[in-house]
Amino acid sequence: MGLSAGLAACGQTDDGGMPQTAPPAAAALAAAPAPAAGSTQGQVAPTEARTVLVMGDSLSAAYNLAAEQGWVALLDTRLRTEAPGFRMVNASISGETTAGGASRIDAALAEHRPALVVIELGANDGLRGLPLEESRANLERMVKASKAAGAEVLVVGMRLPPNYGPDYTEGFFAMFGEIAQAEGVAHLPFLLEPIAFDEAAFQGDRLHPTAEAQPVLADHVWTALGPMLAD
């Protein structure tokens, strides 16, 4: 059973997030290859533009798509008309875990000096069944480092299938919101929420969104990101 098909069979949760289903192969997201060396997301903005840095995994790295088709690149294009003082920089890596993100955050902050950091990590931790306290500590480290560098933060959440047990899956989903609330930062509960029930929105692996689904994801992320850029 694919991701979207299983979700539709389970029904939607009360909080508007994604219901849970039997998982696709757990290794699919973790084993996804990184984009080709030298690839970029979107067009280079003027040097005076403020940076929105995205730290994510294959769901943000335009897995199996041209870089310009991904939701990050699409938002970079949108910034030119709706927030021309900003540009997107995509530091996402397919297969990335929260530990990998935590190990890279200081260098990424020093290099890009972002005004805002979007953290979309945790799916690979969850699919591997890693202890929630480890994932939480890594995400907290990334949020705290970003705030210390003077950046605003948007934490993007994820959901897991039910076969990891209700305590783990519910704790995993709640973790993102709890971190955001504790740290006083913005929170988008579930990246894939608007396409979760649409089987056609996923690639053949039934895990990664198609090119056609990327504009929907871009619009979804914009609901949280856009107001932050207007501040």
Side-chain angles (χ1 to χ4, degrees), residues 126-214:
L127 290 175
R128 295 171 183 177
L130 299 181
L132 292 182
E133 56 268 24
E134 293 183 12
S135 299
R136 180 186 293 269
N138 291 328
L139 290 170
E140 288 175 344
R141 164 154 167 50
M142 296 184 71
V143 172
K144 290 177 183 296
S146 299
K147 290 171 59 180
E152 294 187 72
V153 180
L154 171 61
V155 174
V156 179
M158 184 55 57
R159 280 193 173 274
L160 288 177
N163 62 314
Y164 294 89
D167 289 344
Y168 188 82
T169 56
E170 292 168 13
F172 178 85
F173 177 69
M175 171 180 67
F176 301 96
E178 290 168 356
I179 292 170
Q181 182 175 15
E183 293 296 330
V185 300
H187 176 223
L188 183 70
F190 178 40
L191 176 64
L192 303 179
E193 181 179 346
I195 64 169
F197 303 106
D198 184 2
E199 185 77 14
F202 292 87
Q203 299 180 37
D205 61 9
R206 299 185 175 186
L207 183 60
H208 294 93
T210 62
E212 291 74 18
Q214 298 296 320

Side-chain angles (χ1 to χ4, degrees), residues 46-192:
T47 56
E48 67 272 11
R50 303 172 69 193
T51 296
V52 178
L53 175 65
V54 181
M55 300 285 291
D57 51 35
S58 57
L59 296 174
S60 298
Y63 171 72
N64 206 30
L65 305 173
E68 62 270 17
Q69 293 178 301
W71 65 263
V72 178
L74 295 176
L75 285 184
D76 188 53
T77 299
R78 184 169 185 169
L79 292 181
R80 296 176 202 163
T81 56
E82 299 193 37
F86 292 86
R87 63 166 183 161
M88 304 291 290
V89 170
N90 198 351
S92 302
I93 298 176
S94 292
E96 184 74 294
T97 61
T98 62
S103 71
R104 293 194 297 123
I105 188 64
D106 289 336
L109 292 170
E111 177 182 0
H112 300 294
R113 302 179 182 276
L116 193 151
V117 178
V118 178
I119 301 174
E120 183 277 300
L121 286 171
N124 289 310
D125 295 44
L127 290 175
R128 295 171 183 177
L130 299 181
L132 292 182
E133 56 268 24
E134 293 183 12
S135 299
R136 180 186 293 269
N138 291 328
L139 290 170
E140 288 175 344
R141 164 154 167 50
M142 296 184 71
V143 172
K144 290 177 183 296
S146 299
K147 290 171 59 180
E152 294 187 72
V153 180
L154 171 61
V155 174
V156 179
M158 184 55 57
R159 280 193 173 274
L160 288 177
N163 62 314
Y164 294 89
D167 289 344
Y168 188 82
T169 56
E170 292 168 13
F172 178 85
F173 177 69
M175 171 180 67
F176 301 96
E178 290 168 356
I179 292 170
Q181 182 175 15
E183 293 296 330
V185 300
H187 176 223
L188 183 70
F190 178 40
L191 176 64
L192 303 179

